[in-house]
Amino acid sequence: MTVDESGPEPVAVKLRGTPEHPFSQGELCPKVNRFLDRVYSPDRLTHPLRRVGPKGSGEFERISWDDALTEIGTRLRGIIDEHGGEALLPYSDAGNQSLLSMFGAGGRFFHHLGATQLVRALCGVTVGAGASMTNGSGASLEATEMVHSNLIVLWGTNTRLTNRHLWPTIEQARKRGARLVVIDPIRTLTADAIDESSGDRFIQPLPGTDIAMMLAMMHVIIRDDLTDAEWVADHTTGFDELRDAVADWTPARAAEVCGLDAEEIETLAADVATTPGTALRTLIGPEHHENGAMFFRTLACLPALTGAWRHRGGGYSRSVGYWTEDQIDMQALARPDLMPMLDDGTRAPRTVNMSRLGAVLTGIDVAEEAPIRAMIVWNCNPLVTVPNAELIRTGLERDDLFTVVHEQFMTDTARYADIVLPATTQIEADDIVFPWGHLWVAYNHAAVPPVGESCSNTELFRRLSTALGLTEPSLFDDDETLMRDALPTIDIDELRGERWLRAPYPEDGRPFGDPSGATPFPTPSGRVEFASDQLEALGQPRVPTFVAPTEGPSGDPDLAARFPFQLLTPKQHTRFLNSGYANLPKHGPAEGAPFVELCPDDAAAFGLADGDVARVANDRSSLEVAVRVSQRLRPGVAAIPFGWWGAHHLDGRVANSLTSDTLTDWGGGVAYSDTLVSIERTT
Ligand SMILES: Nc1nc2c(c(=O)[nH]1)N[C@H]1C(S)=C(S)[C@@H](COP(=O)(O)OP(=O)(O)OC[C@H]3O[C@@H](n4cnc5c(=O)[nH]c(N)nc54)[C@H](O)[C@@H]3O)O[C@H]1N2
Ligand SMILES: Nc1nc2c(c(=O)[nH]1)N[C@H]1C(S)=C(S)[C@@H](COP(=O)(O)OP(=O)(O)OC[C@H]3O[C@@H](n4cnc5c(=O)[nH]c(N)nc54)[C@H](O)[C@@H]3O)O[C@H]1N2
Ligand SMILES: [Mo]
């Protein structure tokens, strides 16, 4: 970072990646390459605002921080005194993923007030919840270990787009002769890298059906005696139950469910079982289905069956937050012990799931007599990123809901706020960045002071604590103290000096330790569990089982008849992936505009051509978008890119206006991708 100190305020003038960084090696993604345009954007929010027009109108007036805090203090105090702390909802996610910004801000404040608790699980939680039912933890092969792999299966992850810093590792393995398989219902940018002449393959199942494919693969592996019998005997439990569970799952049966050829499944099963150093690499895409947790639970059985954990570069690999998260003392940071004692002697205010925000605000998920009356939103833009968005809009329009949004920009969500407060960006506050896809924890040094009157996420809650007249001392701890509380095993001064530290990962590259199996798996049985008592206790099948999503082509027949397309809404563009940046000129507009993509056969059958405007609809909402006919999709599947704001769409709605807010089987995730729609031409 280069900072010009010559003016009245220091100004950051150049930002680039650090070539010495062990993982990114100086490469930034196209968003962050232009980060300073974001920091100094003319659209940046730089002072507090009070709403003067109807909710959603975007009409605000400038006010001072003092006036904003007085108003918020009075309103919140009134609501809490009259209705109790549970009338207040904290709402935040991953806008800034740093330790304090994402996990350190607000926990103590909301716990102390006895506010309703938020389950934040729309990204990355279901993966661990699923896999840990098999392995006892969310540990997995560290992704750069795939440099040692001989077969890399990218299963439901668009690596070249969403995990670009990992791609060089994969290319390196390929240079050594590793083969690549991509499994995705969309022929993605990553699928385009397939080279069939080198033995690579692209497999395109119907969305939400992969578990059937995995069951058939295990069927083949057991049928053809390709299991690693010794490893299975030494390290697993429930093999007989698994064998019975997959006995009927012939490749032909699974092929029918997945829309594949039985031969593709046979070949993949044999390859996975007979190639030492097979890595099954996955990320988030597949968790966004009703059977999302079961996907990862089942996937994690494959390397155990084939003994893949024996070999360097073998096993399954997911995002590796697991290795670093162990370092965080979340209790010390968020202090749940500050929660007030309730009448029934417990300290547990009610819990709601963030993916159900519409249902929460409209009284579907909470008792009618105890609605949410105030909401503080920071670090996220739910009207664009959370499913069933029109129901959220209905909730945000409520006159009796008091909404505060802390943001960098006037997002779709901020337009519904009563008070908008300006937030700093990553270069304006110290923090610690926990990696999501590698092992390096970094110190984030503020390069410039807060722009305008903006404040950081932690400072926001110190100010709100004052505004509410709270006196609990830990609410006022400074950032340095919060860092030390949160990371008892990390020397903050060393981290600050070194800039990054590597999280502990087993020396020999194998996540589950000694290949002789001396280290037990952290399940109740100490073994990989093909059959799980824990799952049974949760009311889930003991063994891997395929259940077709209710909102899917083979689910509810009435829905399937009325809405013939399954809609995916993936991250799609190179210049922005989530909702942040879509509003900035070099990002959203540079990508054109949103569209609905479908295959030529479907387009012909429904009388649609490139450039037509179509109405994509279901019982939740409808959306008008331009049609794009493409070779990337198979019949029955449509896709609208996620992340565009209301203003980018013809009718002010967004992709998530259509998506399902049904939760995943377990783990608290949500089934964005089990969304059925109809598509009709409007012009
Ligand atoms: N249909 C569909 N929906 C999806 C997905 C999908 O694939 N399809 N993906 C889901 C996934 S995996 C994720 S992670 C979510 C992402 O959803 P979000 O977590 O909401 O992420 P962003 O869209 O990146 O950022 C949201 C906002 O945070 C603000 N922000 C950034 N830094 C700060 C800060 O320091 N303080 C404050 N107060 N605000 C800040 C930004 O200005 C931005 O408006 O979307 C989910 N929604
Ligand atoms: N530079 C940069 N990188 C980012 C982000 C960013 O903001 N900037 N965002 C990060 C975030 S929050 C996330 S969650 C990750 C997401 O990273 P990924 O998980 O790789 O991305 P997704 O697009 O969510 O899903 C990947 C693929 O899953 C496929 N998919 C959907 N359903 C199924 C299914 O049933 N079976 C199979 N086999 N595939 C399926 C989709 O078609 C999609 O191509 O990216 C991260 N990467
Ligand atoms: Mo995510």
Side-chain angles (χ1 to χ4, degrees):
M1 183 84 68
T2 311
V3 179
D4 177 358
E5 310 259 6
S6 61
E9 286 278 334
V11 177
V13 290
K14 190 172 167 201
L15 179 153
R16 58 178 179 78
T18 307
E20 308 96 82
H21 190 273
F23 184 70
S24 64
Q25 300 182 351
E27 199 215 326
L28 298 178
C29 79
K31 295 194 319 192
V32 182
N33 250 327
R34 297 185 179 278
F35 195 75
L36 296 183
D37 291 353
R38 177 180 185 91
V39 174
Y40 298 113
S41 162
D43 296 336
R44 177 94 188 264
L45 296 173
T46 52
H47 48 73
L49 296 166
R50 177 196 284 128
R51 185 172 55 79
V52 291
K55 292 193 175 191
S57 65
E59 294 164 33
F60 290 89
E61 64 178 1
R62 179 174 184 167
I63 55 170
S64 67
W65 265 100
D66 279 350
D67 286 351
L69 289 170
T70 306
E71 187 162 334
I72 295 169
T74 311
R75 290 293 300 270
L76 291 188
R77 184 44 70 207
I79 288 169
I80 293 168
D81 287 351
E82 192 176 341
H83 304 287
E86 284 187 337
L88 172 61
L89 179 69
Y91 199 89
S92 73
D93 203 28
N96 175 342
Q97 293 200 8
S98 312
L99 174 76
L100 299 186
S101 297
M102 185 165 173
F103 299 107
R108 295 176 181 188
F109 175 79
F110 290 107
H111 284 147
H112 185 59
L113 292 172
T116 292
Q117 302 184 80
L118 188 72
V119 174
R120 292 203 293 202
L122 61 68
C123 174
V125 175
T126 311
V127 184
S132 56
M133 288 298 161
T134 302
N135 290 331
S137 86
S140 76
L141 188 69
E142 198 274 305
T144 58
E145 278 290 313
M146 289 197 292
V147 76
H148 303 290
S149 305
N150 296 314
L151 176 63
I152 297 175
V153 182
L154 298 176
W155 203 321
T157 172
N158 192 359
T159 313
R160 269 174 96 196
L161 180 72
T162 62
N163 201 180
R164 52 191 295 136
H165 294 108
L166 183 61
W167 193 252
T169 300
I170 292 172
E171 284 297 344
Q172 228 177 314
R174 294 175 90 190
K175 280 205 191 83
R176 273 190 31 254
R179 284 174 303 132
L180 188 63
V181 176
V182 173
I183 306 179
D184 200 302
I186 304 179
R187 186 178 284 273
T188 57
L189 188 69
T190 306
D192 288 343
I194 288 294
D195 173 8
E196 281 179 4
S197 68
S198 308
D200 296 346
R201 274 192 316 281
F202 172 54
I203 298 176
Q204 192 170 19
L206 288 165
T209 64
D210 306 63
I211 296 165
M213 183 178 0
M214 295 172 200
L215 295 175
M217 287 169 69
M218 294 197 273
H219 171 101
V220 171
I221 291 167
I222 295 171
R223 180 198 69 195
D224 295 351
D225 217 6
L226 298 175
T227 62
D228 184 332
E230 188 186 271
W231 205 92
V232 168
D234 289 349
H235 304 291
T236 72
T237 170
F239 175 76
D240 292 347
E241 282 183 71
L242 179 71
R243 188 191 48 214
D244 292 349
V246 302
D248 293 340
W249 277 101
T250 59
R253 178 178 170 200
E256 179 82 28
V257 171
C258 305
L260 298 171
D261 291 336
E263 203 44 45
E264 291 176 275
I265 302 177
E266 291 269 1
T267 311
L268 181 64
D271 269 0
V272 162
T274 59
T275 314
T278 289
L280 306 175
R281 168 70 181 175
T282 180
L283 215 57
I284 304 301
E287 84 170 27
H288 292 151
H289 289 280
E290 292 173 25
N291 54 25
M294 185 61 95
F295 176 103
F296 297 96
R297 171 337 181 223
T298 308
L299 185 73
C301 291
L302 275 162
L305 204 57
T306 63
W309 295 118
R310 274 184 201 275
H311 306 285
R312 190 105 197 230
Y316 97 97
S317 172
R318 51 170 284 234
S319 58
V320 286
Y322 172 82
W323 298 101
T324 43
E325 279 157 17
D326 252 16
Q327 318 285 314
I328 308 175
D329 184 345
M330 215 50 102
Q331 306 282 315
L333 192 56
R335 295 286 306 275
D337 59 296
L338 293 177
M339 285 191 237
M341 194 71 89
L342 300 178
D343 290 345
D344 63 3
T346 64
R347 282 184 199 272
R350 67 181 168 185
T351 295
V352 299
N353 186 299
M354 73 174 302
S355 297
R356 302 276 306 167
L357 181 60
V360 170
L361 293 180
T362 57
I364 298 168
D365 281 13
V366 296
E368 204 183 331
E369 63 281 8
I372 297 296
R373 296 174 194 270
M375 176 164 70
I376 299 181
V377 181
W378 75 103
N379 231 15
C380 71
N381 181 10
L383 213 37
V384 178
T385 62
V386 175
N388 204 356
E390 294 315 308
L391 193 62
I392 300 176
R393 197 186 306 278
T394 304
L396 289 173
E397 279 168 349
R398 275 174 43 203
D399 281 334
D400 62 340
L401 178 74
F402 178 65
T403 307
V404 176
V405 175
H406 181 239
E407 248 299 348
Q408 297 163 350
F409 291 92
M410 184 55 73
T411 59
D412 287 11
T413 309
R415 295 169 77 90
Y416 287 81
D418 294 282
I419 303 281
V420 178
L421 299 170
T424 47
T425 69
Q426 191 127 13
I427 68 164
E428 297 156 56
D430 278 15
D431 212 327
I432 292 178
V433 185
F434 270 71
W436 193 73
H438 57 85
L439 294 171
W440 301 87
V441 178
Y443 196 89
N444 181 74
H445 291 271
V448 291
V451 167
E453 296 176 13
S454 64
C455 82
S456 71
N457 295 2
T458 48
E459 176 61 15
L460 169 72
F461 290 101
R462 287 186 287 262
R463 292 186 189 182
L464 291 179
S465 299
T466 307
L468 276 159
L470 305 176
T471 53
E472 158 60 35
S474 66
L475 299 178
F476 301 94
D477 280 351
D478 61 16
D479 290 353
E480 175 93 20
T481 309
L482 291 173
M483 286 176 190
R484 291 189 197 283
D485 284 357
L487 304 173
T489 59
I490 292 183
D491 181 337
I492 306 294
D493 299 318
E494 187 192 343
L495 177 60
R496 192 182 282 126
E498 296 286 326
R499 297 187 289 173
W500 46 74
L501 296 175
R502 189 176 190 265
Y505 179 80
E507 276 297 305
D508 74 349
R510 293 164 179 85
F512 293 105
D514 181 345
S516 73
T519 322
F521 283 80
T523 52
S525 64
R527 290 165 163 257
V528 173
E529 299 197 340
F530 292 136
S532 161
D533 294 342
Q534 275 181 302
L535 273 180
E536 194 168 25
L538 282 177
Q540 296 292 337
R542 288 173 58 74
V543 284
T545 303
F546 171 68
V547 180
T550 334
E551 188 168 336
S554 19
D556 180 332
D558 168 56
L559 280 180
R562 288 163 58 221
F563 304 117
F565 289 93
Q566 179 155 8
L567 179 73
L568 300 178
T569 51
K571 303 174 200 327
Q572 166 120 16
H573 302 292
T574 43
R575 295 178 187 83
F576 71 93
L577 291 177
N578 292 338
S579 81
Y581 297 83
N583 57 315
L584 296 172
K586 299 272 173 47
H587 300 268
E591 293 283 359
F595 48 83
V596 61
E597 207 176 343
L598 47 139
C599 73
D601 286 356
D602 281 344
F606 286 77
L608 295 161
D610 250 335
D612 284 352
V613 174
R615 188 166 170 275
V616 183
N618 58 24
D619 288 339
R620 284 180 287 272
S621 187
S622 72
L623 187 66
E624 288 194 10
V625 265
V627 170
R628 181 181 285 187
V629 180
S630 96
Q631 305 292 335
R632 302 196 324 147
L633 294 170
R634 45 181 306 154
V637 182
I640 300 177
F642 151 70
W644 293 95
W645 296 17
H648 300 125
H649 281 276
L650 299 169
D651 50 11
R653 300 192 190 124
V654 296
N656 273 323
S657 300
L658 297 165
T659 52
S660 166
D661 56 1
T662 300
L663 298 182
T664 52
D665 34 12
W666 73 92
V670 71
Y672 290 101
S673 301
D674 291 332
T675 291
L676 292 178
V677 293
S678 58
I679 305 181
E680 281 166 15
R681 193 154 67 98
T682 61
T683 57

